[in-house]
Amino acid sequence: MSKEEFRNEKLYQTTMHIARQMLAEGLISEEEYRQIDTIFTEKYKPTLGTLFADIDLL
């Protein structure tokens, strides 16, 4: 994994951790969470991120 891929993976995981917290607190809906995931998957193109999408790694 290159440094850029690792950086993108960290950014994706951090972003989705925040999104999961927002979902759990009722600040966003399931649909909004899915939209966020789609946007940031396209932006960061995580190598491993989608494998761990439902696991809180942070």
Side-chain angles (χ1 to χ4, degrees), residues 24-43:
E25 293 174 13
L27 299 173
I28 61 174
S29 68
E30 287 278 344
E31 177 61 28
E32 290 168 318
Y33 176 84
R34 283 191 293 274
Q35 290 173 354
I36 290 167
D37 184 47
T38 299
I39 290 166
F40 286 103
T41 297
E42 290 174 9
K43 180 175 181 173

